[in-house]
Amino acid sequence: MSKSNTGNDIADSSGLTEASDRQGVYRATHDADGPATVSDTVIEAIAEVAGIDPTNTVIPLSERVDPDALDALFADDEGDAQVSFRVCGLDVLVRSDGNVRIVDETVGDAE
């Protein structure tokens, strides 16, 4: 999987899309009723934005946040929790509503 050069037509099973208002800002949605864990959704989205294959490259999520703790925190879709961290040169924000925001400050006008 890799990002499209046209920007806004990025899509994978996490629903990754590039924000229409700013280059370098991506959004993914975790489906709490689906088979993937929150950490799986985050890893897949990071891989897509970074342009790497997560089956061949280790994404060092556990160096920044405990994947089991992340999954446990967001296992219940109630509440208003959020976690932010930086991994693979990307700023990641995970929210309890299933939204994942990734900012790649090396692209376009990301601030």
Side-chain angles (χ1 to χ4, degrees):
M1 289 186 258
S2 63
K3 294 185 291 183
S4 166
N5 291 333
T6 59
N8 293 334
D9 60 349
I10 299 168
D12 62 14
S13 61
S14 67
L16 185 70
T17 59
E18 187 170 9
S20 60
D21 57 337
R22 283 182 46 203
Q23 265 190 314
V25 179
Y26 304 88
R27 292 184 176 85
T29 303
H30 173 70
D31 179 2
D33 296 325
T37 63
V38 172
S39 59
D40 290 338
T41 300
V42 170
I43 288 170
E44 187 174 314
I46 290 169
E48 183 72 15
V49 171
I52 57 178
D53 181 354
T55 61
N56 295 328
T57 305
V58 174
I59 295 176
L61 184 63
S62 62
E63 292 178 8
R64 301 296 181 201
V65 63
D66 181 334
D68 293 332
L70 188 66
D71 294 338
L73 179 63
F74 297 113
D76 182 355
D77 62 355
E78 295 182 23
D80 189 23
Q82 66 181 27
V83 173
S84 62
F85 52 93
R86 186 166 177 81
V87 64
C88 295
L90 303 168
D91 294 317
V92 180
L93 173 68
V94 184
R95 296 178 35 155
S96 58
D97 62 3
N99 288 309
V100 178
R101 180 175 183 249
I102 299 174
V103 178
D104 181 353
E105 294 187 10
T106 66
V107 175
D109 58 0
E111 297 174 352

